[in-house]
PDB file of all heavy atoms in Angstrom:
ATOM      1  N   HIS A  18     106.990 109.621  97.597  1.00 95.00           N
ATOM      2  CA  HIS A  18     107.848 110.065  96.405  1.00 95.00           C
ATOM      3  C   HIS A  18     107.498 111.341  95.710  1.00 95.00           C
ATOM      4  O   HIS A  18     108.226 111.827  95.023  1.00 95.00           O
ATOM      5  CB  HIS A  18     108.013 108.948  95.376  1.00 95.00           C
ATOM      6  CG  HIS A  18     108.533 107.626  95.879  1.00 95.00           C
ATOM      7  ND1 HIS A  18     109.798 107.502  96.338  1.00 95.00           N
ATOM      8  CD2 HIS A  18     107.857 106.495  96.126  1.00 95.00           C
ATOM      9  CE1 HIS A  18     109.958 106.222  96.726  1.00 95.00           C
ATOM     10  NE2 HIS A  18     108.771 105.609  96.633  1.00 95.00           N
ATOM     11  N   GLY A  19     106.408 111.991  96.232  1.00 96.00           N
ATOM     12  CA  GLY A  19     105.984 113.209  95.694  1.00 96.00           C
ATOM     13  C   GLY A  19     105.057 113.130  94.504  1.00 96.00           C
ATOM     14  O   GLY A  19     104.538 111.972  94.167  1.00 96.00           O
ATOM     15  N   PRO A  20     104.740 114.245  93.824  1.00 96.00           N
ATOM     16  CA  PRO A  20     103.743 114.193  92.637  1.00 96.00           C
ATOM     17  C   PRO A  20     104.079 113.205  91.652  1.00 96.00           C
ATOM     18  O   PRO A  20     105.452 112.956  91.311  1.00 96.00           O
ATOM     19  CB  PRO A  20     103.970 115.784  92.149  1.00 96.00           C
ATOM     20  CG  PRO A  20     104.424 116.424  93.352  1.00 96.00           C
ATOM     21  CD  PRO A  20     105.356 115.648  94.118  1.00 96.00           C
ATOM     22  N   VAL A  21     103.106 112.658  90.946  1.00 96.00           N
ATOM     23  CA  VAL A  21     103.267 111.699  89.933  1.00 96.00           C
ATOM     24  C   VAL A  21     102.345 112.024  88.712  1.00 96.00           C
ATOM     25  O   VAL A  21     101.348 112.779  88.918  1.00 96.00           O
ATOM     26  CB  VAL A  21     102.952 110.350  90.414  1.00 96.00           C
ATOM     27  CG1 VAL A  21     103.837 109.837  91.432  1.00 96.00           C
ATOM     28  CG2 VAL A  21     101.502 110.078  90.627  1.00 96.00           C
ATOM     29  N   SER A  22     102.681 111.518  87.556  1.00 94.00           N
ATOM     30  CA  SER A  22     101.878 111.536  86.431  1.00 94.00           C
ATOM     31  C   SER A  22     101.317 110.106  86.127  1.00 94.00           C
ATOM     32  O   SER A  22     101.835 109.163  86.778  1.00 94.00           O
ATOM     33  CB  SER A  22     102.465 112.091  85.176  1.00 94.00           C
ATOM     34  OG  SER A  22     103.654 111.224  84.808  1.00 94.00           O
ATOM     35  N   SER A  23     100.471 109.950  85.189  1.00 90.00           N
ATOM     36  CA  SER A  23     100.011 108.576  84.964  1.00 90.00           C
ATOM     37  C   SER A  23     101.078 107.551  84.525  1.00 90.00           C
ATOM     38  O   SER A  23     100.926 106.377  84.759  1.00 90.00           O
ATOM     39  CB  SER A  23      98.909 108.608  83.951  1.00 90.00           C
ATOM     40  OG  SER A  23      99.219 109.139  82.770  1.00 90.00           O
ATOM     41  N   SER A  24     102.146 108.144  83.975  1.00 89.00           N
ATOM     42  CA  SER A  24     103.184 107.431  83.423  1.00 89.00           C
ATOM     43  C   SER A  24     104.116 106.728  84.594  1.00 89.00           C
ATOM     44  O   SER A  24     104.869 105.863  84.520  1.00 89.00           O
ATOM     45  CB  SER A  24     104.087 107.949  82.434  1.00 89.00           C
ATOM     46  OG  SER A  24     104.655 109.260  82.976  1.00 89.00           O
ATOM     47  N   ASP A  25     103.924 107.318  85.782  1.00 91.00           N
ATOM     48  CA  ASP A  25     104.753 106.956  86.944  1.00 91.00           C
ATOM     49  C   ASP A  25     104.078 105.896  87.750  1.00 91.00           C
ATOM     50  O   ASP A  25     104.878 105.248  88.636  1.00 91.00           O
ATOM     51  CB  ASP A  25     105.035 108.259  87.861  1.00 91.00           C
ATOM     52  CG  ASP A  25     105.730 109.359  87.116  1.00 91.00           C
ATOM     53  OD1 ASP A  25     106.692 109.083  86.436  1.00 91.00           O
ATOM     54  OD2 ASP A  25     105.378 110.499  87.394  1.00 91.00           O
ATOM     55  N   VAL A  26     102.891 105.541  87.572  1.00 91.00           N
ATOM     56  CA  VAL A  26     102.122 104.603  88.352  1.00 91.00           C
ATOM     57  C   VAL A  26     101.764 103.338  87.535  1.00 91.00           C
ATOM     58  O   VAL A  26     101.668 103.518  86.312  1.00 91.00           O
ATOM     59  CB  VAL A  26     100.903 105.154  88.897  1.00 91.00           C
ATOM     60  CG1 VAL A  26     101.264 106.360  89.946  1.00 91.00           C
ATOM     61  CG2 VAL A  26      99.923 105.597  87.955  1.00 91.00           C
ATOM     62  N   GLY A  27     101.585 102.213  88.217  1.00 81.00           N
ATOM     63  CA  GLY A  27     101.152 101.026  87.567  1.00 81.00           C
ATOM     64  C   GLY A  27     102.070 100.467  86.508  1.00 81.00           C
ATOM     65  O   GLY A  27     101.577 100.143  85.427  1.00 81.00           O
ATOM     66  N   LYS A  28     103.363 100.673  86.633  1.00 79.00           N
ATOM     67  CA  LYS A  28     104.361 100.317  85.679  1.00 79.00           C
ATOM     68  C   LYS A  28     104.350  98.882  85.130  1.00 79.00           C
ATOM     69  O   LYS A  28     104.650  98.561  84.084  1.00 79.00           O
ATOM     70  CB  LYS A  28     105.740 100.683  86.042  1.00 79.00           C
ATOM     71  CG  LYS A  28     105.954 102.127  86.178  1.00 79.00           C
ATOM     72  CD  LYS A  28     107.513 102.460  86.596  1.00 79.00           C
ATOM     73  CE  LYS A  28     107.701 103.899  86.741  1.00 79.00           C
ATOM     74  NZ  LYS A  28     107.589 104.602  85.475  1.00 79.00           N
ATOM     75  N   ASP A  29     103.785  97.935  86.039  1.00 76.00           N
ATOM     76  CA  ASP A  29     103.654  96.503  85.685  1.00 76.00           C
ATOM     77  C   ASP A  29     102.220  96.159  85.185  1.00 76.00           C
ATOM     78  O   ASP A  29     102.031  95.027  84.891  1.00 76.00           O
ATOM     79  CB  ASP A  29     104.013  95.639  86.854  1.00 76.00           C
ATOM     80  CG  ASP A  29     103.137  95.945  88.176  1.00 76.00           C
ATOM     81  OD1 ASP A  29     102.471  96.988  88.157  1.00 76.00           O
ATOM     82  OD2 ASP A  29     103.121  95.088  89.008  1.00 76.00           O
ATOM     83  N   GLU A  30     101.418  97.195  84.947  1.00 76.00           N
ATOM     84  CA  GLU A  30     100.132  96.904  84.519  1.00 76.00           C
ATOM     85  C   GLU A  30     100.017  96.968  82.976  1.00 76.00           C
ATOM     86  O   GLU A  30     100.747  97.787  82.277  1.00 76.00           O
ATOM     87  CB  GLU A  30      99.030  97.936  85.098  1.00 76.00           C
ATOM     88  CG  GLU A  30      99.000  97.901  86.707  1.00 76.00           C
ATOM     89  CD  GLU A  30      98.242  98.933  87.305  1.00 76.00           C
ATOM     90  OE1 GLU A  30      97.738  99.834  86.433  1.00 76.00           O
ATOM     91  OE2 GLU A  30      98.159  99.026  88.432  1.00 76.00           O
ATOM     92  N   LYS A  31      99.091  96.215  82.322  1.00 71.00           N
ATOM     93  CA  LYS A  31      98.956  96.202  80.942  1.00 71.00           C
ATOM     94  C   LYS A  31      98.345  97.499  80.472  1.00 71.00           C
ATOM     95  O   LYS A  31      97.424  98.133  81.102  1.00 71.00           O
ATOM     96  CB  LYS A  31      97.909  95.101  80.567  1.00 71.00           C
ATOM     97  CG  LYS A  31      97.701  95.118  79.060  1.00 71.00           C
ATOM     98  CD  LYS A  31      96.733  93.890  78.700  1.00 71.00           C
ATOM     99  CE  LYS A  31      96.526  93.877  77.281  1.00 71.00           C
ATOM    100  NZ  LYS A  31      95.475  92.815  76.871  1.00 71.00           N
ATOM    101  N   ARG A  32      99.007  98.059  79.478  1.00 64.00           N
ATOM    102  CA  ARG A  32      98.571  99.434  78.854  1.00 64.00           C
ATOM    103  C   ARG A  32      98.078  99.238  77.430  1.00 64.00           C
ATOM    104  O   ARG A  32      98.613  98.414  76.696  1.00 64.00           O
ATOM    105  CB  ARG A  32      99.800 100.420  78.860  1.00 64.00           C
ATOM    106  CG  ARG A  32     100.172 100.652  80.343  1.00 64.00           C
ATOM    107  CD  ARG A  32     101.527 101.410  80.413  1.00 64.00           C
ATOM    108  NE  ARG A  32     101.927 101.454  81.832  1.00 64.00           N
ATOM    109  CZ  ARG A  32     101.972 102.615  82.527  1.00 64.00           C
ATOM    110  NH1 ARG A  32     101.529 103.753  82.005  1.00 64.00           N
ATOM    111  NH2 ARG A  32     102.321 102.641  83.733  1.00 64.00           N
ATOM    112  N   GLY A  33      97.063  99.972  77.210  1.00 56.00           N
ATOM    113  CA  GLY A  33      96.501  99.897  75.854  1.00 56.00           C
ATOM    114  C   GLY A  33      96.873 101.057  74.968  1.00 56.00           C
ATOM    115  O   GLY A  33      97.991 101.545  75.070  1.00 56.00           O
ATOM    116  N   SER A  34      96.025 101.513  74.078  1.00 55.00           N
ATOM    117  CA  SER A  34      96.332 102.495  73.149  1.00 55.00           C
ATOM    118  C   SER A  34      96.381 103.890  73.672  1.00 55.00           C
ATOM    119  O   SER A  34      96.708 104.874  73.007  1.00 55.00           O
ATOM    120  CB  SER A  34      95.202 102.482  71.986  1.00 55.00           C
ATOM    121  OG  SER A  34      93.959 102.772  72.509  1.00 55.00           O
ATOM    122  N   GLY A  35      95.973 104.133  74.947  1.00 53.00           N
ATOM    123  CA  GLY A  35      96.098 105.446  75.466  1.00 53.00           C
ATOM    124  C   GLY A  35      94.740 106.222  75.466  1.00 53.00           C
ATOM    125  O   GLY A  35      94.675 107.301  76.110  1.00 53.00           O
ATOM    126  N   GLY A  36      93.617 105.679  74.853  1.00 57.00           N
ATOM    127  CA  GLY A  36      92.512 106.291  74.919  1.00 57.00           C
ATOM    128  C   GLY A  36      91.803 106.220  76.275  1.00 57.00           C
ATOM    129  O   GLY A  36      92.085 105.445  77.150  1.00 57.00           O
ATOM    130  N   TRP A  37      90.761 107.236  76.568  1.00 53.00           N
ATOM    131  CA  TRP A  37      90.167 107.145  77.937  1.00 53.00           C
ATOM    132  C   TRP A  37      89.547 105.800  78.257  1.00 53.00           C
ATOM    133  O   TRP A  37      89.477 105.467  79.399  1.00 53.00           O
ATOM    134  CB  TRP A  37      89.188 108.345  78.066  1.00 53.00           C
ATOM    135  CG  TRP A  37      87.950 108.101  77.213  1.00 53.00           C
ATOM    136  CD1 TRP A  37      87.821 108.625  75.940  1.00 53.00           C
ATOM    137  CD2 TRP A  37      86.774 107.369  77.430  1.00 53.00           C
ATOM    138  NE1 TRP A  37      86.483 108.264  75.428  1.00 53.00           N
ATOM    139  CE2 TRP A  37      85.879 107.486  76.304  1.00 53.00           C
ATOM    140  CE3 TRP A  37      86.368 106.603  78.541  1.00 53.00           C
ATOM    141  CZ2 TRP A  37      84.683 106.908  76.211  1.00 53.00           C
ATOM    142  CZ3 TRP A  37      85.041 106.056  78.477  1.00 53.00           C
ATOM    143  CH2 TRP A  37      84.263 106.144  77.357  1.00 53.00           C
ATOM    144  N   TRP A  38      89.105 105.019  77.274  1.00 56.00           N
ATOM    145  CA  TRP A  38      88.372 103.815  77.489  1.00 56.00           C
ATOM    146  C   TRP A  38      89.379 102.715  77.722  1.00 56.00           C
ATOM    147  O   TRP A  38      88.988 101.554  78.000  1.00 56.00           O
ATOM    148  CB  TRP A  38      87.627 103.435  76.121  1.00 56.00           C
ATOM    149  CG  TRP A  38      88.483 103.253  75.008  1.00 56.00           C
ATOM    150  CD1 TRP A  38      89.232 102.251  74.499  1.00 56.00           C
ATOM    151  CD2 TRP A  38      88.845 104.397  74.055  1.00 56.00           C
ATOM    152  NE1 TRP A  38      89.957 102.527  73.388  1.00 56.00           N
ATOM    153  CE2 TRP A  38      89.794 103.875  73.064  1.00 56.00           C
ATOM    154  CE3 TRP A  38      88.605 105.710  73.996  1.00 56.00           C
ATOM    155  CZ2 TRP A  38      90.342 104.632  72.075  1.00 56.00           C
ATOM    156  CZ3 TRP A  38      89.098 106.494  72.979  1.00 56.00           C
ATOM    157  CH2 TRP A  38      90.005 105.999  72.027  1.00 56.00           C
ATOM    158  N   ASP A  39      90.747 103.003  77.794  1.00 62.00           N
ATOM    159  CA  ASP A  39      91.703 101.868  77.903  1.00 62.00           C
ATOM    160  C   ASP A  39      92.741 102.267  78.944  1.00 62.00           C
ATOM    161  O   ASP A  39      93.953 101.978  78.779  1.00 62.00           O
ATOM    162  CB  ASP A  39      92.341 101.544  76.517  1.00 62.00           C
ATOM    163  CG  ASP A  39      92.820 100.179  76.500  1.00 62.00           C
ATOM    164  OD1 ASP A  39      92.523  99.360  77.415  1.00 62.00           O
ATOM    165  OD2 ASP A  39      93.608  99.820  75.551  1.00 62.00           O
ATOM    166  N   TRP A  40      92.389 103.073  79.953  1.00 78.00           N
ATOM    167  CA  TRP A  40      93.203 103.292  80.947  1.00 78.00           C
ATOM    168  C   TRP A  40      93.647 102.159  81.755  1.00 78.00           C
ATOM    169  O   TRP A  40      92.805 101.270  82.053  1.00 78.00           O
ATOM    170  CB  TRP A  40      92.633 104.395  81.923  1.00 78.00           C
ATOM    171  CG  TRP A  40      92.280 105.741  81.487  1.00 78.00           C
ATOM    172  CD1 TRP A  40      92.682 106.241  80.219  1.00 78.00           C
ATOM    173  CD2 TRP A  40      91.658 106.815  82.105  1.00 78.00           C
ATOM    174  NE1 TRP A  40      92.375 107.587  80.094  1.00 78.00           N
ATOM    175  CE2 TRP A  40      91.623 107.920  81.177  1.00 78.00           C
ATOM    176  CE3 TRP A  40      90.850 106.887  83.313  1.00 78.00           C
ATOM    177  CZ2 TRP A  40      90.980 109.098  81.575  1.00 78.00           C
ATOM    178  CZ3 TRP A  40      90.212 108.007  83.576  1.00 78.00           C
ATOM    179  CH2 TRP A  40      90.282 109.093  82.693  1.00 78.00           C
ATOM    180  N   HIS A  41      94.868 102.103  82.216  1.00 82.00           N
ATOM    181  CA  HIS A  41      95.298 101.000  83.050  1.00 82.00           C
ATOM    182  C   HIS A  41      94.805 101.301  84.534  1.00 82.00           C
ATOM    183  O   HIS A  41      94.420 102.485  84.828  1.00 82.00           O
ATOM    184  CB  HIS A  41      96.770 100.797  83.088  1.00 82.00           C
ATOM    185  CG  HIS A  41      97.591 102.034  83.492  1.00 82.00           C
ATOM    186  ND1 HIS A  41      97.863 102.357  84.769  1.00 82.00           N
ATOM    187  CD2 HIS A  41      98.179 102.990  82.705  1.00 82.00           C
ATOM    188  CE1 HIS A  41      98.627 103.484  84.812  1.00 82.00           C
ATOM    189  NE2 HIS A  41      98.770 103.793  83.513  1.00 82.00           N
ATOM    190  N   PRO A  42      94.682 100.416  85.405  1.00 85.00           N
ATOM    191  CA  PRO A  42      94.010 100.423  86.672  1.00 85.00           C
ATOM    192  C   PRO A  42      94.561 101.707  87.518  1.00 85.00           C
ATOM    193  O   PRO A  42      93.825 102.486  88.202  1.00 85.00           O
ATOM    194  CB  PRO A  42      94.152  99.169  87.404  1.00 85.00           C
ATOM    195  CG  PRO A  42      94.247  98.206  86.227  1.00 85.00           C
ATOM    196  CD  PRO A  42      94.940  98.920  85.229  1.00 85.00           C
ATOM    197  N   SER A  43      95.907 101.823  87.643  1.00 88.00           N
ATOM    198  CA  SER A  43      96.398 102.880  88.356  1.00 88.00           C
ATOM    199  C   SER A  43      96.141 104.276  87.826  1.00 88.00           C
ATOM    200  O   SER A  43      95.993 105.164  88.509  1.00 88.00           O
ATOM    201  CB  SER A  43      97.942 102.729  88.641  1.00 88.00           C
ATOM    202  OG  SER A  43      98.111 101.596  89.357  1.00 88.00           O
ATOM    203  N   LYS A  44      96.120 104.341  86.413  1.00 89.00           N
ATOM    204  CA  LYS A  44      95.757 105.698  85.857  1.00 89.00           C
ATOM    205  C   LYS A  44      94.278 106.053  86.237  1.00 89.00           C
ATOM    206  O   LYS A  44      93.934 107.169  86.581  1.00 89.00           O
ATOM    207  CB  LYS A  44      95.882 105.505  84.338  1.00 89.00           C
ATOM    208  CG  LYS A  44      95.070 106.645  83.540  1.00 89.00           C
ATOM    209  CD  LYS A  44      95.571 107.944  83.683  1.00 89.00           C
ATOM    210  CE  LYS A  44      94.880 108.921  82.806  1.00 89.00           C
ATOM    211  NZ  LYS A  44      95.201 110.394  83.051  1.00 89.00           N
ATOM    212  N   THR A  45      93.372 105.002  86.188  1.00 89.00           N
ATOM    213  CA  THR A  45      92.023 105.283  86.545  1.00 89.00           C
ATOM    214  C   THR A  45      91.918 105.648  88.074  1.00 89.00           C
ATOM    215  O   THR A  45      91.175 106.443  88.423  1.00 89.00           O
ATOM    216  CB  THR A  45      91.159 103.952  86.364  1.00 89.00           C
ATOM    217  OG1 THR A  45      91.350 103.570  84.906  1.00 89.00           O
ATOM    218  CG2 THR A  45      89.657 104.276  86.508  1.00 89.00           C
ATOM    219  N   ALA A  46      92.682 105.021  88.832  1.00 91.00           N
ATOM    220  CA  ALA A  46      92.761 105.347  90.364  1.00 91.00           C
ATOM    221  C   ALA A  46      93.163 106.703  90.524  1.00 91.00           C
ATOM    222  O   ALA A  46      92.568 107.513  91.260  1.00 91.00           O
ATOM    223  CB  ALA A  46      93.717 104.314  91.100  1.00 91.00           C
ATOM    224  N   LEU A  47      94.188 107.151  89.821  1.00 94.00           N
ATOM    225  CA  LEU A  47      94.634 108.663  89.926  1.00 94.00           C
ATOM    226  C   LEU A  47      93.471 109.523  89.502  1.00 94.00           C
ATOM    227  O   LEU A  47      93.234 110.507  90.260  1.00 94.00           O
ATOM    228  CB  LEU A  47      95.779 108.789  88.979  1.00 94.00           C
ATOM    229  CG  LEU A  47      97.235 108.594  89.434  1.00 94.00           C
ATOM    230  CD1 LEU A  47      98.223 108.850  88.228  1.00 94.00           C
ATOM    231  CD2 LEU A  47      97.653 109.494  90.573  1.00 94.00           C
ATOM    232  N   GLU A  48      92.821 109.349  88.444  1.00 93.00           N
ATOM    233  CA  GLU A  48      91.699 110.150  88.120  1.00 93.00           C
ATOM    234  C   GLU A  48      90.620 110.131  89.034  1.00 93.00           C
ATOM    235  O   GLU A  48      90.031 111.247  89.341  1.00 93.00           O
ATOM    236  CB  GLU A  48      91.158 109.721  86.686  1.00 93.00           C
ATOM    237  CG  GLU A  48      92.083 110.121  85.512  1.00 93.00           C
ATOM    238  CD  GLU A  48      92.167 111.604  85.269  1.00 93.00           C
ATOM    239  OE1 GLU A  48      91.146 112.168  85.024  1.00 93.00           O
ATOM    240  OE2 GLU A  48      93.232 112.120  85.240  1.00 93.00           O
ATOM    241  N   TYR A  49      90.257 108.984  89.552  1.00 93.00           N
ATOM    242  CA  TYR A  49      89.194 108.934  90.550  1.00 93.00           C
ATOM    243  C   TYR A  49      89.555 109.691  91.832  1.00 93.00           C
ATOM    244  O   TYR A  49      88.788 110.425  92.430  1.00 93.00           O
ATOM    245  CB  TYR A  49      88.939 107.518  90.873  1.00 93.00           C
ATOM    246  CG  TYR A  49      87.797 107.277  91.951  1.00 93.00           C
ATOM    247  CD1 TYR A  49      86.444 107.363  91.482  1.00 93.00           C
ATOM    248  CD2 TYR A  49      88.198 107.132  93.238  1.00 93.00           C
ATOM    249  CE1 TYR A  49      85.537 107.345  92.600  1.00 93.00           C
ATOM    250  CE2 TYR A  49      87.212 107.113  94.270  1.00 93.00           C
ATOM    251  CZ  TYR A  49      85.888 107.154  93.931  1.00 93.00           C
ATOM    252  OH  TYR A  49      84.812 107.022  94.831  1.00 93.00           O
ATOM    253  N   LEU A  50      90.727 109.488  92.416  1.00 96.00           N
ATOM    254  CA  LEU A  50      91.142 110.141  93.642  1.00 96.00           C
ATOM    255  C   LEU A  50      91.257 111.655  93.302  1.00 96.00           C
ATOM    256  O   LEU A  50      90.975 112.377  94.368  1.00 96.00           O
ATOM    257  CB  LEU A  50      92.512 109.550  94.031  1.00 96.00           C
ATOM    258  CG  LEU A  50      92.537 108.158  94.448  1.00 96.00           C
ATOM    259  CD1 LEU A  50      93.964 107.591  94.592  1.00 96.00           C
ATOM    260  CD2 LEU A  50      91.786 108.015  95.761  1.00 96.00           C
ATOM    261  N   TRP A  51      91.523 112.144  92.125  1.00 96.00           N
ATOM    262  CA  TRP A  51      91.485 113.482  91.916  1.00 96.00           C
ATOM    263  C   TRP A  51      90.023 114.004  91.838  1.00 96.00           C
ATOM    264  O   TRP A  51      89.773 115.050  92.458  1.00 96.00           O
ATOM    265  CB  TRP A  51      92.221 113.764  90.537  1.00 96.00           C
ATOM    266  CG  TRP A  51      92.013 115.168  89.999  1.00 96.00           C
ATOM    267  CD1 TRP A  51      92.085 116.362  90.672  1.00 96.00           C
ATOM    268  CD2 TRP A  51      91.473 115.513  88.702  1.00 96.00           C
ATOM    269  NE1 TRP A  51      91.783 117.396  89.858  1.00 96.00           N
ATOM    270  CE2 TRP A  51      91.351 116.889  88.556  1.00 96.00           C
ATOM    271  CE3 TRP A  51      91.134 114.681  87.586  1.00 96.00           C
ATOM    272  CZ2 TRP A  51      91.051 117.472  87.343  1.00 96.00           C
ATOM    273  CZ3 TRP A  51      90.752 115.256  86.466  1.00 96.00           C
ATOM    274  CH2 TRP A  51      90.610 116.714  86.380  1.00 96.00           C
ATOM    275  N   ARG A  52      89.269 113.408  91.123  1.00 95.00           N
ATOM    276  CA  ARG A  52      87.949 113.815  90.955  1.00 95.00           C
ATOM    277  C   ARG A  52      87.145 113.864  92.304  1.00 95.00           C
ATOM    278  O   ARG A  52      86.194 114.642  92.472  1.00 95.00           O
ATOM    279  CB  ARG A  52      87.082 112.945  89.902  1.00 95.00           C
ATOM    280  CG  ARG A  52      87.709 113.148  88.447  1.00 95.00           C
ATOM    281  CD  ARG A  52      87.197 114.326  87.774  1.00 95.00           C
ATOM    282  NE  ARG A  52      85.723 114.344  87.554  1.00 95.00           N
ATOM    283  CZ  ARG A  52      85.112 113.804  86.400  1.00 95.00           C
ATOM    284  NH1 ARG A  52      85.908 113.264  85.492  1.00 95.00           N
ATOM    285  NH2 ARG A  52      83.896 113.796  86.349  1.00 95.00           N
ATOM    286  N   SER A  53      87.446 112.941  93.200  1.00 95.00           N
ATOM    287  CA  SER A  53      86.707 112.801  94.472  1.00 95.00           C
ATOM    288  C   SER A  53      87.399 113.609  95.610  1.00 95.00           C
ATOM    289  O   SER A  53      86.880 113.712  96.684  1.00 95.00           O
ATOM    290  CB  SER A  53      86.517 111.344  94.812  1.00 95.00           C
ATOM    291  OG  SER A  53      87.967 110.671  94.976  1.00 95.00           O
ATOM    292  N   GLY A  54      88.616 114.129  95.367  1.00 95.00           N
ATOM    293  CA  GLY A  54      89.140 115.135  96.229  1.00 95.00           C
ATOM    294  C   GLY A  54      90.435 114.709  97.087  1.00 95.00           C
ATOM    295  O   GLY A  54      91.063 115.507  97.664  1.00 95.00           O
ATOM    296  N   ALA A  55      90.767 113.381  96.959  1.00 96.00           N
ATOM    297  CA  ALA A  55      92.010 113.001  97.704  1.00 96.00           C
ATOM    298  C   ALA A  55      93.254 113.575  97.191  1.00 96.00           C
ATOM    299  O   ALA A  55      94.267 113.794  97.923  1.00 96.00           O
ATOM    300  CB  ALA A  55      92.052 111.425  97.830  1.00 96.00           C
ATOM    301  N   LEU A  56      93.246 113.852  95.746  1.00 97.00           N
ATOM    302  CA  LEU A  56      94.364 114.341  95.147  1.00 97.00           C
ATOM    303  C   LEU A  56      93.994 115.679  94.425  1.00 97.00           C
ATOM    304  O   LEU A  56      92.878 115.900  94.102  1.00 97.00           O
ATOM    305  CB  LEU A  56      94.813 113.328  93.945  1.00 97.00           C
ATOM    306  CG  LEU A  56      95.262 112.007  94.393  1.00 97.00           C
ATOM    307  CD1 LEU A  56      95.710 111.175  93.197  1.00 97.00           C
ATOM    308  CD2 LEU A  56      96.465 112.060  95.507  1.00 97.00           C
ATOM    309  N   CYS A  57      95.093 116.398  94.185  1.00 97.00           N
ATOM    310  CA  CYS A  57      94.920 117.658  93.356  1.00 97.00           C
ATOM    311  C   CYS A  57      95.907 117.597  92.114  1.00 97.00           C
ATOM    312  O   CYS A  57      96.960 116.943  92.323  1.00 97.00           O
ATOM    313  CB  CYS A  57      95.378 118.891  94.218  1.00 97.00           C
ATOM    314  SG  CYS A  57      93.932 119.710  95.025  1.00 97.00           S
ATOM    315  N   VAL A  58      95.541 118.106  91.108  1.00 97.00           N
ATOM    316  CA  VAL A  58      96.497 118.344  89.950  1.00 97.00           C
ATOM    317  C   VAL A  58      97.280 119.498  90.224  1.00 97.00           C
ATOM    318  O   VAL A  58      96.703 120.665  90.644  1.00 97.00           O
ATOM    319  CB  VAL A  58      95.669 118.459  88.616  1.00 97.00           C
ATOM    320  CG1 VAL A  58      96.731 118.690  87.472  1.00 97.00           C
ATOM    321  CG2 VAL A  58      94.929 117.190  88.277  1.00 97.00           C
ATOM    322  N   VAL A  59      98.606 119.426  90.258  1.00 97.00           N
ATOM    323  CA  VAL A  59      99.433 120.501  90.563  1.00 97.00           C
ATOM    324  C   VAL A  59     100.021 121.137  89.292  1.00 97.00           C
ATOM    325  O   VAL A  59     100.937 122.155  89.521  1.00 97.00           O
ATOM    326  CB  VAL A  59     100.569 120.085  91.611  1.00 97.00           C
ATOM    327  CG1 VAL A  59      99.844 119.815  92.907  1.00 97.00           C
ATOM    328  CG2 VAL A  59     101.360 118.929  91.126  1.00 97.00           C
ATOM    329  N   GLY A  60      99.802 120.730  88.155  1.00 95.00           N
ATOM    330  CA  GLY A  60     100.353 121.267  86.943  1.00 95.00           C
ATOM    331  C   GLY A  60     100.333 120.177  85.841  1.00 95.00           C
ATOM    332  O   GLY A  60      99.918 119.058  86.072  1.00 95.00           O
ATOM    333  N   ARG A  61     100.903 120.602  84.687  1.00 94.00           N
ATOM    334  CA  ARG A  61     100.911 119.684  83.601  1.00 94.00           C
ATOM    335  C   ARG A  61     102.409 119.821  82.924  1.00 94.00           C
ATOM    336  O   ARG A  61     102.894 120.890  82.919  1.00 94.00           O
ATOM    337  CB  ARG A  61      99.866 120.001  82.561  1.00 94.00           C
ATOM    338  CG  ARG A  61      98.432 119.675  82.987  1.00 94.00           C
ATOM    339  CD  ARG A  61      97.402 120.083  81.985  1.00 94.00           C
ATOM    340  NE  ARG A  61      96.032 119.715  82.363  1.00 94.00           N
ATOM    341  CZ  ARG A  61      95.275 118.679  81.812  1.00 94.00           C
ATOM    342  NH1 ARG A  61      95.816 117.998  80.778  1.00 94.00           N
ATOM    343  NH2 ARG A  61      94.143 118.447  82.164  1.00 94.00           N
TER     344      ARG A  61
END
């Protein structure tokens, strides 16, 4: 489906207050895949 933001993934997952300590699993997966090289950030 092309580029996504954290709001586009894990829609059925429990979400918290939005702080870094309360990321939902798919948001954490996005960040990990970016930091380790599988993904790139293409803009904001």
Side-chain angles (χ1 to χ4, degrees):
H18 302 290
V21 301
S22 64
S23 60
S24 61
D25 299 319
V26 298
K28 292 183 181 292
D29 59 344
E30 296 169 5
K31 182 180 179 181
R32 295 167 188 253
S34 61
W37 66 266
W38 58 89
D39 208 7
W40 290 352
H41 57 84
S43 291
K44 160 66 174 174
T45 308
L47 274 177
E48 286 288 305
Y49 177 85
L50 292 168
W51 165 52
R52 295 280 294 273
S53 58
L56 300 179
C57 270
V58 176
V59 292
R61 290 178 178 248

